[in-house]
Amino acid sequence: MPEEELHAIQIHLDRLLAERGITLTELSAQVGITVVNLSVLKNGRAKAIRFSTLSRICEALRCQPGDLITYKPAEPPR
């Protein structure tokens, strides 16, 4: 993977959707974001997210940004 694509951010959208019993399609309708763009985010392929998008997702899922996004640094080399 090219260096610019490496990051330590993890997205937990799939877990939150499962916990709340809603589908990506339902979330898409609630927040006004395409299923394709939500899928990119869910699969960890997003390079950025707007605060307005993050706000709408958190509002719809009744969560905090930290429930959706976490930072997990790579293990240091031994």
Side-chain angles (χ1 to χ4, degrees):
M1 182 180 275
E3 187 175 326
E4 68 271 6
E5 291 184 25
L6 296 177
H7 60 79
I9 301 299
Q10 295 180 335
I11 304 295
H12 307 287
L13 186 56
D14 53 348
R15 178 179 48 84
L16 290 170
L17 290 171
E19 288 173 359
R20 282 145 178 84
I22 71 169
T23 66
L24 207 57
T25 302
E26 291 169 328
L27 181 62
S28 171
Q30 288 180 28
V31 298
I33 300 164
T34 67
V35 174
V36 171
N37 284 338
L38 284 175
S39 181
V40 167
L41 180 64
K42 180 173 100 62
N43 293 318
R45 292 181 280 127
K47 297 195 184 295
I49 184 170
R50 292 180 181 186
F51 284 148
S52 59
T53 300
L54 182 58
S55 295
R56 290 191 311 248
I57 291 171
C58 287
E59 181 180 354
L61 295 177
R62 300 172 313 283
C63 70
Q64 293 295 312
D67 299 327
L68 180 65
I69 301 171
T70 56
Y71 172 72
K72 184 177 180 187
E75 295 292 322
R78 296 181 185 227

